[in-house]
């Protein structure tokens, strides 16, 4: 590529997370200073956001998610595009196509596995040829899971002399809320499965996003209330497990099966001990099942959208984001039976306050750190790895530690 006008363009800057990301980027201190711009389809909304940020000299670019010519010109003007335009399955493909063909790096915060699979199938060859480094899932799904496993495996090798062949992640505690964009992505997935029932089989395939190892192993999955003897707690299904597990397994494949070909990974929500923990596990399981079933029928989906769920552009207040947090624990077992436990903690609302920081630092990592330069569809752990772990701990309110 010729010298670009910008280091980074935020596409979808006026979305809920886009605004948080732009606010974060306007406050970070980088040397040399970051050359960045905001892009979206509404000049009026972009102008208003620029005023809110107090950045009168910040450039604005107007482009629609379906306008391939405009997006290609946008890609050619920058080294990296960060997309917050979702649902990505509805609005994200044209930008991915333009980045892959133009050699422009790309990252986003999608959690839509079915869409990622289509993007890899359609545009991986172009990305490899052009040198575009494409990194999906740079938010709460799936940076904590992907980098939490990387951190756990590195310390397992250092302390125990071998990698773990099984790791389970448990959401110990979290405080946060949904935005309308997240809800829209979930409802779109439910609609896709209704229109194409064969997609359901793909969505439950843990190896959907990765090349299967020579001898695929049966991956564990917490589908209902389960007692975990290691932590002594009851577990319930975790909504993000479906995408996070696929990303972790893809990282293992892209890292030449560093975690072993028989590596097993699972995720769940820890609901507590004893009878109270068991009852909570049943409550969480029932609530998730009700949401999925209700979202599958137009009348109940309309009622949920009308009265229960936030609309696009809505989400947790600044106070709720600041008061939010999340704590994840990773329990690893090596082939010889040795054990290790680690913790990944974030001091903001996981889906928004923390996600904006994680996405921002992932973008800066792509721009400024010494990474693999090969074009491909990467994962956070396989491309950004330790450089991003370091950035998150220094600049994003993330803490990692080994548990005794």
């Amino acid at each position: 590529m010729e010298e670009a006008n910008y280091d980074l363009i935020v596409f979808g800057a006026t979305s809920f997370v886009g605004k948080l990301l732009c606010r974060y980027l306007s406050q970070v201190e980088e040397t040399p200073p970051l050359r960045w711009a905001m892009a979206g389809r509404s000049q009026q909304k972009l102008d208003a956001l620029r005023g809110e940020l107090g950045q009168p000299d910040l450039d604005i670019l107007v482009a629609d998610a379906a306008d391939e010519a405009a997006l290609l010109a946008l890609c050619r003007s920058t080294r990296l595009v960060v997309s917050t335009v979702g649902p990505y399955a509805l609005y994200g493909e044209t930008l991915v196509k333009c980045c892959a063909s133009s050699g422009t790096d790309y990252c986003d915060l999608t959690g839509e596995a079915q869409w990622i699979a289509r993007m890899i199938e359609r545009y991986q060859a172009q990305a490899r040829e052009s040198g575009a480094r494409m990194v999906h899932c740079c938010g709460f799904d799936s940076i904590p899971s992907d980098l939490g496993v990387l951190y756990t495996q590195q310390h397992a090798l250092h302390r125990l002399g071998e990698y773990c062949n099984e790791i389970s992640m448990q959401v110990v505690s979290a405080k946060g809320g949904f935005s309308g964009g997240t809800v829209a992505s979930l409802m779109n997935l439910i609609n896709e499965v209704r229109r194409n029932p064969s997609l359901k089989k793909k969505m439950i395939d843990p190896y959907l996003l990765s090349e299967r190892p020579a001898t695929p192993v049966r991956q564990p999955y917490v589908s209902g209330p389960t007692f975990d003897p290691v932590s002594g707690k009851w577990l319930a299904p975790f909504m993000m497990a479906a995408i996070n597990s696929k990303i972790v397994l893809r990282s293992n494949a892209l890292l030449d099966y560093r975690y072993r070909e028989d590596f097993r990974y699972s995720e769940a929500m820890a609901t507590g001990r004893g009878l109270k923990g068991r009852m909570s596990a049943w409550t969480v399981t029932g609530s998730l099942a009700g949401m999925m079933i209700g979202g599958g029928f137009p009348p109940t989906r309309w009622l949920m959208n009308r009265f229960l769920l936030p609309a696009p552009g809505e989400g947790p207040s600044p106070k709720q984001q600041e008061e939010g947090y999340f704590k994840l624990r990773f329990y690893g077992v090596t082939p010889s039976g040795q054990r290790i436990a680690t913790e990944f903690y974030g001091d903001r609302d996981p889906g928004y306050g923390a996600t904006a920081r994680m996405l921002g630092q992932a973008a800066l990592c792509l721009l400024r750190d010494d990474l693999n330069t090969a074009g491909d569809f990467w994962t956070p752990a396989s491309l950004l790895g330790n450089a991003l772990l370091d950035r998150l701990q220094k600049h994003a309110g993330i803490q990692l530690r080994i548990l005794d």
Side-chain angles (χ1 to χ4, degrees), residues 58-262:
L58 185 62
D59 285 355
I60 286 175
L61 305 172
V62 177
D64 187 271
D67 188 338
E68 185 171 338
L71 291 182
L72 189 58
L74 182 149
C75 290
R76 288 172 173 164
S77 71
T78 186
R79 296 172 55 201
L80 168 69
V81 177
V82 183
S83 175
T84 63
V85 177
Y88 290 87
L90 296 178
Y91 308 117
E93 180 169 353
T94 304
L95 179 57
V96 168
K97 177 182 178 182
C98 291
C99 284
S101 64
S102 65
T104 305
D105 291 341
Y106 168 94
C107 62
D108 65 26
L109 45 77
T110 186
E112 302 162 58
Q114 83 287 5
W115 178 72
I116 296 172
R118 290 199 293 267
M119 297 304 96
I120 294 172
E121 179 182 2
R122 293 173 184 175
Y123 304 114
Q124 185 174 51
Q126 291 183 35
R128 287 176 171 175
E129 182 177 354
S130 71
R133 298 174 298 176
M134 319 290 288
V135 192
H136 297 296
C137 302
C138 291
F140 184 61
D141 45 342
S142 301
I143 279 179
S145 300
D146 205 22
L147 295 189
V149 169
L150 179 68
Y151 178 86
T152 303
Q153 292 284 36
Q154 289 175 337
H155 284 279
L157 182 64
H158 177 71
R159 288 191 164 208
L160 309 178
E162 56 184 344
Y163 288 118
C164 300
N165 63 336
E166 183 164 355
I167 291 178
S168 62
M169 186 277 275
Q170 296 179 14
V171 182
V172 177
S173 59
K175 182 179 180 181
F178 284 105
S179 82
T182 297
V183 171
S185 295
L186 177 60
M187 291 303 170
N188 181 69
L189 172 59
I190 294 172
N191 287 336
E192 282 197 51
V193 173
R194 285 182 65 249
R195 294 193 301 268
N196 180 14
S198 65
L199 183 59
K200 184 176 181 180
K201 184 176 181 181
K202 290 184 177 181
M203 292 303 296
I204 63 175
D205 180 4
Y207 295 103
L208 176 64
L209 302 181
S210 57
E211 182 178 332
R212 290 176 177 273
T215 307
V217 298
R218 184 181 180 85
Q219 294 292 328
Y221 183 72
V222 176
S223 58
T226 305
F227 180 73
D228 177 41
V230 175
S231 64
K233 296 179 180 179
W234 281 89
L235 308 178
F238 177 46
M239 189 167 62
M240 299 291 102
I243 178 62
N244 293 339
S245 298
K246 293 176 177 61
I247 291 296
V248 168
L249 293 176
R250 179 169 175 81
S251 289
N252 188 32
L254 291 172
L255 293 170
D256 295 324
Y257 296 101
R258 182 183 300 176
Y259 310 154
R260 301 171 55 95
E261 289 195 13
D262 62 352

Side-chain angles (χ1 to χ4, degrees), residues 1 22 43 59 125 128 138 151 192 227 329 348 370 374 379 387 392:
M1 292 178 58
C22 289
Q43 178 79 48
D59 285 355
R128 287 176 171 175
C138 291
Y151 178 86
E192 282 197 51
F227 180 73
R329 286 184 177 168
R348 289 291 187 275
D370 185 16
T379 59
L392 294 177

